[in-house]
Amino acid sequence: MTADLTSYGNEALPFVDSRIYSESSIFEEELQKIWKKVWLATVHESELAQPLDYRTLTLAREPVIIVRGSDNQIRAFLNVCPHRGNLIVRKPAGSLGVAEPSGNANHMTCMFHAWQYDSLGRCVDIPRQKQGYQDRLDKSQVRLTALPCEVAHGGFVWVSLDPAVMPLADFIGDAFGFMREELESEPLDIFHYHKAFIRSNYKLWHDTNSEFYHDYMHYFNRATSMMQKGYFDRHYTTFANGHCTVGSMEVKYDAYQGAGDRPLSFPGMPRNGWKMVDLFPGTTYNIRGSSLRVDTMTPIGPDLVMIEFRGIGLKRDTEEERARRIADHNTIWGPFGRNLHEDLLGITGQGVSMRPGTAPRRVLHGRRENLSIHDEIGMRHYYSEWARRVGRSPADPLGEGMAAE
Amino acid sequence: MTADLTSYGNEALPFVDSRIYSESSIFEEELQKIWKKVWLATVHESELAQPLDYRTLTLAREPVIIVRGSDNQIRAFLNVCPHRGNLIVRKPAGSLGVAEPSGNANHMTCMFHAWQYDSLGRCVDIPRQKQGYQDRLDKSQVRLTALPCEVAHGGFVWVSLDPAVMPLADFIGDAFGFMREELESEPLDIFHYHKAFIRSNYKLWHDTNSEFYHDYMHYFNRATSMMQKGYFDRHYTTFANGHCTVGSMEVKYDAYQGAGDRPLSFPGMPRNGWKMVDLFPGTTYNIRGSSLRVDTMTPIGPDLVMIEFRGIGLKRDTEEERARRIADHNTIWGPFGRNLHEDLLGITGQGVSMRPGTAPRRVLHGRRENLSIHDEIGMRHYYSEWARRVGRSPADPLGEGMAAE
Amino acid sequence: MTADLTSYGNEALPFVDSRIYSESSIFEEELQKIWKKVWLATVHESELAQPLDYRTLTLAREPVIIVRGSDNQIRAFLNVCPHRGNLIVRKPAGSLGVAEPSGNANHMTCMFHAWQYDSLGRCVDIPRQKQGYQDRLDKSQVRLTALPCEVAHGGFVWVSLDPAVMPLADFIGDAFGFMREELESEPLDIFHYHKAFIRSNYKLWHDTNSEFYHDYMHYFNRATSMMQKGYFDRHYTTFANGHCTVGSMEVKYDAYQGAGDRPLSFPGMPRNGWKMVDLFPGTTYNIRGSSLRVDTMTPIGPDLVMIEFRGIGLKRDTEEERARRIADHNTIWGPFGRNLHEDLLGITGQGVSMRPGTAPRRVLHGRRENLSIHDEIGMRHYYSEWARRVGRSPADPLGEGMAAE
Amino acid sequence: MSGAPEAAVRDLIYRAALLLDAERFKDWLALCAEDFTYRIQTYSPEIRKQMTWLQHDMPGLRTMIEMLPRHNTDHGQLSRHVSVYAIALEDGGKEASATSSFICHRTMLDGINAHLDAGETQLFLVGKYHDRFRLADGRPLFRDRTVFLDTRRLDKGSHYPI
Amino acid sequence: MSGAPEAAVRDLIYRAALLLDAERFKDWLALCAEDFTYRIQTYSPEIRKQMTWLQHDMPGLRTMIEMLPRHNTDHGQLSRHVSVYAIALEDGGKEASATSSFICHRTMLDGINAHLDAGETQLFLVGKYHDRFRLADGRPLFRDRTVFLDTRRLDKGSHYPI
Amino acid sequence: MSGAPEAAVRDLIYRAALLLDAERFKDWLALCAEDFTYRIQTYSPEIRKQMTWLQHDMPGLRTMIEMLPRHNTDHGQLSRHVSVYAIALEDGGKEASATSSFICHRTMLDGINAHLDAGETQLFLVGKYHDRFRLADGRPLFRDRTVFLDTRRLDKGSHYPI
Ligand code: FES
Ligand code: FES
Ligand code: FES
Ligand SMILES: [Fe+3]
Ligand SMILES: [Fe+3]
Ligand SMILES: [Fe+3]
């Protein structure tokens, strides 16, 4: 457990200026200095289980394709055609094994002029290349831009837009240490995906995922958690590069052997355990009993974010186990679940009061409680890294030398 | 009746440059220099008839709550939580008497972390305050930002975002003088509310409300008013701070005693009388026989405005009287009424030809007719105040030293 | 046939920087320096067949009305009222012969205050002019802004927003030379109109219309054209001011007399002929056998364009002939046609990968094939003119002195 | 609602929708009894009151419809999509009432910027029809219609019955 | 679907829509058999799997509905527009199944910025109802409902049954 | 439209909607007579002419459907929401005609930017179906369908029948 020396704005009562959530210029800077520079969790390997399976997405506006090559290795490429810049693969997921109208099976084909690429990103066909380019261009010189890509931490595909990004191991450090058993003991498998566009700043979602003080918002959690023994034993741990964790480590040994009516869990995880890893700048792993939820974000503007929610179980689940995990997961975390809707309403309200053009306001980050569950250390730690990356003070982001309000 | 010495652009034929309606930078300046500085009419007191009743809205993008305190006094607060900036009360109207899921009855509760405020804006609960803030923050130091607020002029709640705003009495001056009997003789009561988003500049709506030359657009008015004796006897009167009035004062004594089939009116108002008060920067009171219509505006951008329309009767109305007022009101002014639709089409058309990015054009404000009903003095008077407030000439808003066109 | 000396970015492999498709500032500059300066094809004369018929549209955001005067001459005016700037005529098409609620037959009436204009743009009524303006303004001084307007090249109405624009004949030069017989032998008649809003840059649509290399995208074309003799005999010809043509001139004499099951064509056009004229900055004439398709564009923003599609036949068509043309046209070019949907998907994909805020990328314009059908000369010629007009290099549009990527 | 009178009522509601869509307002009124009343209502959570936005008897409707050409108006095409939900016969089959759900779209023509907007369809209103009928010889006529709107943001509004 | 049992099934589906729209959830459950099961499903082309987003038996639904007031929620008005497409009688008329198409709009109240948004109607969901019924004495009860969604972007989601 | 033939016609229209939504185009064609004709029409107020945007006989439809996989296309899911408004029997019950109102939504898949858009439902088209049927032994077959669109802004359009 680290000591909390973090503060900004006001040493006694740290705060951020609301314009870090609402200013367009700051948002664009964040894309350049953060989102294009770090490792980002994307899809789960079970979404591309077979060779030639692919998934498409965008990272900081850039189209990306993740494809399991014919050699079974997962790679990431810019999903942009080197010819005239068209988006190459258009579906969210599929298999390159199926031929497209303008191209052959096993290839990514740009529908526009039928340039074709193999699953390793090499250009394998430029129609009428010789006639059009003579000796000026050969397909051997053409390939999709490969992006740093690693499968790690429970089978997620991590990608960076920065070819010079530090190693993923360095970026993560030991943030996944206390969740290693759950994530790495056996293969995991995705069972849930949905997405939400929310009119709010992406950091407000990460804030929500980084503090449990808002359990007051959830009737479900007030009833099932806050009243329970052990709730306040959970502590935050901070890690380099802006990450933090919180979890029920202490509960573990007491509860682990307990049998009951909700026996499903993850390897090494107590039956009703809860562990969370918050990764800078916007990914959260959240294991609550029987399911792992992973949130990833796609910031669209200062006041709009797309959040993707995944639910993960064990690959070896029987049909009954899987159904149980799904029910457990969706009762609280599905689009019709009890908690998720409340959380999203929370940041939607913040999005209203901090929409672009609103007056600068102080947003308090000042709860200190020995790093335990209601301490706002997770947020403070995040904004220290944020300050380092964007070179701005969260409490005085426009360098006016004065505090909001 | 004041003399008209007002002109801009061209002394003989005053005009404004269309970019005052289309430029983003001017719009943002108007929010700061006008909308955040003046008194604005908001809701009617009958919308919060009981102690603990509230109404929420926004003023110049800032969330505001108007609440009738447990002491029966109406107050206005920023509807923003001092903790982490969430919107506190989310419904348009209601009673604090009803408990919310995360809070107690009689309180405004921020759903996020359940900080609670009483109806006077005082923070009455910070969950686990001592544990989280120790001696660094106490709820006694926390209160919602109170805004200048007065109930006046027919029971409307006037609010300003500027704590240093001049007294409401000074801002209004005698603009309501000739409507005092109608507004102040007895309690009024709201019966109609609707809103419209219009792709046009808010000032174009106020322009429309400030001139009757456009009666040519209304078949209804051409038939019922313009052809009638007395129509051209109505005159404009201008008041300090950009306000003006127009009305049928001269008709009053002739027509007042007349019985007939539409006997309903307002105290002191002739049966078929018509009086109008246009208040800078965007409120209009309009009494037409049996009902008072009040327009308020929420500018969203240079090319988008939300207009709210209220219909007001007398509190002591019998059911039949009320039904009569409603029918009279909505036949011309409801969302399916004859005139309102036409008026809104008018400024929609202006919004098309003056949308952001269109060429600068002259918009004529040059009708002079002894301040009578077709004189454009109301507009000229408004833009003189506008010029004073924003420090720009309406005819040369970008200081190019030359005229549009 | 002209020699291709055109290159930018890289002499061996010309390319443009993707920001010419995505930067707001460049887009605004294009409107000013190109779209407001050149001749633009608008509607077809058969859309206003009778005196007093009109069509309304916008050019570079400015509202325009095209009206066939009582003297049977077609004119173009700004569709903006000189009084207070309202859009005057609101419907897309109609006849001034029908009276409007606020005005008389044969006039354009501004609904707002009923100023009326005749079909030649002269103000013919200002209600209560004398009373409101005394001697300061007379309707004889007021007229709608007339725009340069000519009917030419198959009966299209060409309009410019620039009163000082060069003559249309000079702007077009001989670009229509090889299509003259088809267009000018006899009166043409419109049978199809639809429009599409596409999230992409307008130039990407013109690019698509300026190269046939993308026939690989169309199964229809791969089957019916690319495999056919003569396909590669078609050559591009470039003309001053950014225009170019491509077509099946050589096929003409072989195929012209042939009878068959699709005998309909245009005067002077071989039965299955194909001719295309691409006009700077965004109009395309495309004759494919039995129908002439004309595309015009209305750029809305760097990432949004409205494209209007017209289908044209011969005025003397019998009912059967017309039905045949319509079927031929819509099978490939209608909203449910085989090819158009594919073409629009192509530029939609480019719009995704080049949306505002994406990384600068090279877009190759480097196919050279003796100016024949798969040569990208049409595009290179276009961007040379573009560079001349906007004063920027397409390969280094922000003058950074370095190439994208 | 399986019997013949119910079917006749349902058919009548749908016929009304077709006539309203076609702007054949006089033919629509021909489906209504002479004592027909029509109103558009909604509830405002802002002022916490039910509101009647339009109310007419037969002469009022006739006037409204006749005056349409004299008014400047938005000529966008309204398309009412109706699903009849419940029909109840009353008074021994001489009366009936019905509840239907409707969605009304507007395809723009001249309401904003025709060059860009004409032809685009937008959601205009959703709500319920609450209708009452009189049946004579099994032939129903509208006696009353309350259009109850869920949607309260009508923007520039409309001159047309819904 | 011309006979009396089919008509009763159709009426029941529409009555359910009216009760759900009116947020009379307990009355809705009164149309369901005690072994009623309810689920919301959709297919994700992202993970290429069918998903069950909500699943409840009768006790589960009762709890869900009773707990509604304890939860912070979006109180926007849902309007379900249903058209019954096909009804099949089974097991000699003791069972039935039905497929209906629905469009669900949401008229905003407190979900975002009430001052601006309240009263605006937005498309929320489209999909199909796949229902199963038990008929006793010609009176049908819901035995099973699968709400199959085409729409998968629900944004902040909902606490209400569809 | 209370009788059995009317009910059969109504069922057929709804069955067609289900099959079209499911992209079971061949099964849809099996509901049509061999001389079936299909067209999509609308009226352009810009050129003041009625337009036929698609027209096919049975062989034309078969070709169109068979060729679908060879074309690059937008694979968004179309959901047709239909309400049958009026059915008329003709020629002594051997023929019938029907008018229906429809709303067609599109749930996006690969049409724009799948990462952001897939799963979002948008209004695509509203209009009317004007259908004609031939009845043999009480069993109806489509003989003609005119899809009349109110919506004229289809943007990138579609390769699918509506
Ligand atoms: S843009 Fe990809 S092949 Fe041309
Ligand atoms: S933001 Fe209001 S209690 Fe935390
Ligand atoms: S704006 Fe046209 S008449 Fe006034
Ligand atoms: Fe939470
Ligand atoms: Fe007016
Ligand atoms: Fe093409």
Side-chain angles (χ1 to χ4, degrees), chain C residues 81 83-86 110 112-115:
Chain C
C81 184
H83 176 225
R84 293 231 304 271
N86 191 31
C110 177
F112 218 147
H113 313 88
W115 288 27

Side-chain angles (χ1 to χ4, degrees), chain B residues 208 214-215 217-218 221 339 343:
Chain B
T208 304
H214 79 266
D215 271 344
M217 174 158 68
H218 303 307
N221 290 13
N339 285 17
D343 287 322

Side-chain angles (χ1 to χ4, degrees), chain F residues 118-161:
Chain F
E120 178 184 335
T121 302
Q122 296 184 332
L123 179 64
F124 183 44
L125 292 172
V126 308
K128 301 275 190 292
Y129 287 142
H130 299 287
D131 295 326
R132 297 196 59 76
F133 306 87
R134 176 173 303 120
L135 287 94
D137 308 323
R139 184 174 166 262
L141 286 173
F142 281 96
R143 229 195 54 198
D144 188 85
R145 164 162 285 186
T146 296
V147 181
F148 197 91
L149 304 179
D150 294 334
T151 309
R152 299 182 313 277
R153 239 199 72 188
L154 276 62
D155 295 344
K156 68 180 122 61
S158 176
H159 279 158
Y160 296 100

Side-chain angles (χ1 to χ4, degrees), chain E residues 38-142:
Chain E
Y38 176 89
R39 71 193 63 74
I40 301 177
Q41 295 188 321
T42 189
Y43 174 80
S44 167
E46 289 85 6
I47 63 171
R48 289 179 285 167
K49 282 180 183 163
Q50 185 142 323
M51 300 184 290
T52 299
W53 279 355
L54 191 74
Q55 176 150 23
H56 277 304
D57 56 12
M58 207 63 162
L61 285 168
R62 285 207 186 91
T63 304
M64 184 178 114
I65 282 160
E66 274 159 24
M67 297 298 284
L68 276 176
R70 310 240 186 141
H71 284 282
N72 291 291
T73 205
D74 179 328
H75 293 89
Q77 160 78 33
L78 299 185
S79 308
R80 296 152 190 85
H81 192 85
V82 180
S83 190
V84 177
Y85 273 8
I87 297 175
L89 293 185
E90 294 160 20
D91 194 14
K94 282 186 274 183
E95 304 260 324
S97 64
T99 301
S100 310
S101 171
F102 73 87
I103 301 169
C104 182
H105 289 98
R106 177 147 65 184
T107 301
M108 291 197 277
L109 180 66
D110 55 1
I112 304 186
N113 181 344
H115 186 225
L116 303 187
D117 303 325
E120 178 184 335
T121 302
Q122 296 183 332
L123 179 64
F124 183 43
L125 293 171
V126 307
K128 301 273 190 293
Y129 286 142
H130 299 287
D131 296 324
R132 298 195 59 78
F133 305 87
R134 176 174 302 120
L135 286 94
D137 307 323
R139 183 174 166 262
L141 285 173
F142 281 97

